Amino acid sequence: MDPEVVRAWDRILVSRGRVRIEDLAAEVGWSRRRLWSRFRSQIGLPPKRAASLVRFRHAAQRLTAGGSAAHVATECGYADQSHLHREAVAFTGVTPSTLAGDPGLAADFIAWAGHDAGETRWSPPHAVRTAPDGQG
């Protein structure tokens, strides 16, 4: 993986998805087009989509921790509560209030607490994983 792609991914995580793609490209010394192309080929999705998912993950964590949708939307950088609502439905198929009331989702975030925004080492989604028996 290109060190520039790793740096861009780390920056997306640390900022919890609140970073401009133009700024990422400038930080790594690439054009937006080159960053988009290399990031997508190595991570599996464009940097803007990756940043949106990271931002939404943080918002979902805040919702399951009891934050109101309006407060979480503001805290996580959404334009307004309806913007958070649209992304929640787009990414999960459910509304923010449904996410907030899902104890399974809250448990999942607790189980993965060590992999929060401060955790910058990550395996790209297209990485091949094999089962312990070697099949898969």
Side-chain angles (χ1 to χ4, degrees):
M1 188 170 297
D2 290 334
E4 294 87 351
V5 171
V6 171
R7 184 172 173 196
W9 174 248
D10 286 349
R11 183 80 166 79
I12 288 170
L13 287 178
V14 168
S15 70
R16 293 184 171 151
R18 295 182 67 182
V19 62
R20 293 175 47 91
I21 304 311
E22 297 80 17
D23 295 343
L24 273 180
E27 285 178 32
V28 300
W30 284 351
S31 67
R32 284 182 42 210
R33 180 177 288 193
R34 181 172 177 151
L35 175 63
W36 189 93
S37 172
R38 301 295 284 239
F39 195 98
R40 181 168 182 174
S41 72
Q42 294 176 35
I43 300 293
L45 52 148
K48 186 171 182 174
R49 183 67 165 180
S52 294
L53 288 167
V54 168
R55 179 174 65 170
F56 177 72
R57 179 176 184 265
H58 179 64
Q61 287 175 317
R62 301 297 303 136
L63 288 166
T64 61
S68 73
H71 180 74
V72 169
T74 300
E75 178 184 298
C76 294
Y78 289 94
D80 52 29
Q81 186 175 341
S82 65
H83 183 196
L84 171 61
H85 181 91
R86 284 190 305 276
E87 283 208 349
V89 172
F91 290 144
T92 66
V94 298
T95 65
S97 60
T98 301
L99 279 175
D102 185 344
L105 184 61
D108 183 52
F109 287 136
I110 292 167
W112 288 97
H115 299 281
D116 198 40
E119 178 72 33
T120 58
R121 296 298 147 226
W122 174 76
S123 179
H126 67 278
V128 176
R129 294 184 177 92
T130 58
D133 63 0
Q135 299 180 20

